[in-house]
Amino acid sequence: DNLTPSRILRLPTDMPNMDVELPQIEIKEQFGSVAEFGEILKRRYIRNAKISALRSIVLSYLATIVKGMLSALWWLFRGPFDSLTVASENFSSRTMSGKKVPRYRAFTWWVPPLIQGSAEGTYRAMADLLGNTIFFIVLCLNAIRHALIGTTRPRAQSLLDGLVYGFRGLVMDLFLVTWMQQTALQTRTAYQDYGSIWATIKFIRWMLLSPFGPCLGPLNFVASFCEGLAH
């Protein structure tokens, strides 16, 4: 009867596990039956579950684009800094050991490590920024799919998985196979739980949204491909 756990499990994310903190609860100066106390505990635990789920989503997904930008800026400075630090130590050790150093190297020793460090920092910055941006795009596409039909995609663990799952989802969505399956499932569930009136309302709603079904095919393919590419 409680829809909160099912909604949490159907969130448009791909987290296989989630930590939910359930602290000790003390109830004082309240009287009632065992069922009433159970209802009080259920409401408090559900509230903790909602807070934990939203915190995990914000920190793991919505903040990825910010994390990618900060990491990219960090690598743009860290790459040249690390290379210059190592080159400076090597140059100092050579001069202190008495090894002869060409005169031009005394003024240009920092140029090669600066170029190499800038190149490595730029590569790592683009990798972080691109990876986190792709994950954010996948989250947005999953949210659109979840809002329209309330289903999730198979998780792509590699580029090949992304191509296979994306093409299969593209075909199924273009021909409204997924849409018809969800229409039948949601209508049957509403009829069993709430009766024929609510089932009719559900069926009409799904029929009105059916033109959006083929639009989900390309979005499904792009989301699966991007997810496989990011992994």
Side-chain angles (χ1 to χ4, degrees), residues 81-93 109-110 112-114:
F81 177 79
D82 290 346
S83 296
L84 289 174
T85 301
V86 174
S88 176
E89 293 176 353
N90 293 336
F91 183 78
S92 299
S93 63
W109 63 268
W110 54 272
L114 178 63

Side-chain angles (χ1 to χ4, degrees), residues 50-127:
K50 289 180 180 179
I51 294 174
S52 300
L54 293 176
R55 182 173 63 247
S56 299
I57 292 173
V58 171
L59 296 179
S60 300
Y61 291 91
L62 298 182
T64 54
I65 186 67
V66 178
K67 176 180 177 295
M69 295 176 62
L70 295 178
S71 298
L73 292 176
W74 170 251
W75 276 113
L76 289 177
F77 290 99
R78 181 180 174 181
F81 177 79
D82 290 346
S83 296
L84 289 174
T85 301
V86 174
S88 176
E89 293 176 353
N90 293 336
F91 183 78
S92 299
S93 63
R94 291 185 63 182
T95 55
M96 293 180 63
S97 63
K99 293 183 179 180
K100 188 176 181 180
V101 180
R103 182 175 298 179
Y104 73 93
R105 292 292 302 275
F107 299 99
T108 61
W109 63 268
W110 54 272
V111 176
L114 178 63
I115 297 175
Q116 182 180 359
S118 299
E120 183 178 358
T122 303
Y123 171 78
R124 291 181 176 270
M126 292 302 297

Side-chain angles (χ1 to χ4, degrees), residues 35-215:
E36 292 174 346
F37 278 104
E39 188 67 24
I40 294 174
L41 293 175
K42 185 178 72 173
R43 287 198 298 267
R44 296 192 181 184
Y45 284 150
I46 289 175
R47 183 170 62 250
N48 291 333
K50 289 180 180 179
I51 294 174
S52 300
L54 293 176
R55 182 173 63 247
S56 299
I57 292 173
V58 171
L59 296 179
S60 300
Y61 291 91
L62 298 182
T64 54
I65 186 67
V66 178
K67 176 180 177 295
M69 295 176 62
L70 295 178
S71 298
L73 292 176
W74 170 251
W75 276 113
L76 289 177
F77 290 99
R78 181 180 174 181
F81 177 79
D82 290 346
S83 296
L84 289 174
T85 301
V86 174
S88 176
E89 293 176 353
N90 293 336
F91 183 78
S92 299
S93 63
R94 291 185 63 182
T95 55
M96 293 180 63
S97 63
K99 293 183 179 180
K100 188 176 181 180
V101 180
R103 182 175 298 179
Y104 73 93
R105 292 292 302 275
F107 299 99
T108 61
W109 63 268
W110 54 272
V111 176
L114 178 63
I115 297 175
Q116 182 180 359
S118 299
E120 183 178 358
T122 303
Y123 171 78
R124 291 181 176 270
M126 292 302 297
D128 275 343
L129 183 60
L130 183 61
N132 287 281
T133 302
I134 288 176
F135 273 117
F136 182 76
I137 293 174
V138 171
L139 173 65
C140 294
L141 295 178
N142 288 345
I144 295 174
R145 183 179 184 84
H146 180 78
L148 290 178
I149 61 177
T151 60
T152 57
R153 301 175 297 100
R155 185 176 181 180
Q157 299 291 345
S158 64
L159 183 59
L160 182 60
D161 287 343
L163 292 174
V164 173
Y165 293 154
F167 181 75
R168 185 180 65 181
L170 174 64
V171 174
M172 294 181 66
D173 288 339
L174 285 177
F175 291 97
L176 297 176
V177 176
T178 306
W179 198 276
M180 289 186 293
Q181 291 176 350
Q182 286 298 310
T183 302
L185 176 62
Q186 296 296 330
T187 304
R188 183 172 63 252
T189 303
Y191 177 77
Q192 294 174 352
D193 294 342
Y194 303 103
S196 58
I197 297 178
W198 187 250
T200 304
I201 296 175
K202 279 280 188 178
F203 180 79
I204 295 174
R205 174 186 177 273
W206 281 91
M207 288 296 100
L208 292 176
L209 294 177
S210 59
F212 295 98
C215 300

Side-chain angles (χ1 to χ4, degrees), residues 1-13 15 18 46 49-50 53-54 57 146 150-152 186 194 198 202:
D1 295 335
N2 183 21
L3 298 178
T4 301
S6 61
R7 290 173 179 172
I8 292 176
L9 292 175
R10 291 172 59 187
L11 289 172
T13 60
M15 289 180 291
M18 181 184 300
I46 289 175
K50 289 180 180 179
L54 293 176
I57 292 173
H146 180 78
T151 60
T152 57
Q186 296 296 330
Y194 303 103
W198 187 250
K202 279 280 188 178

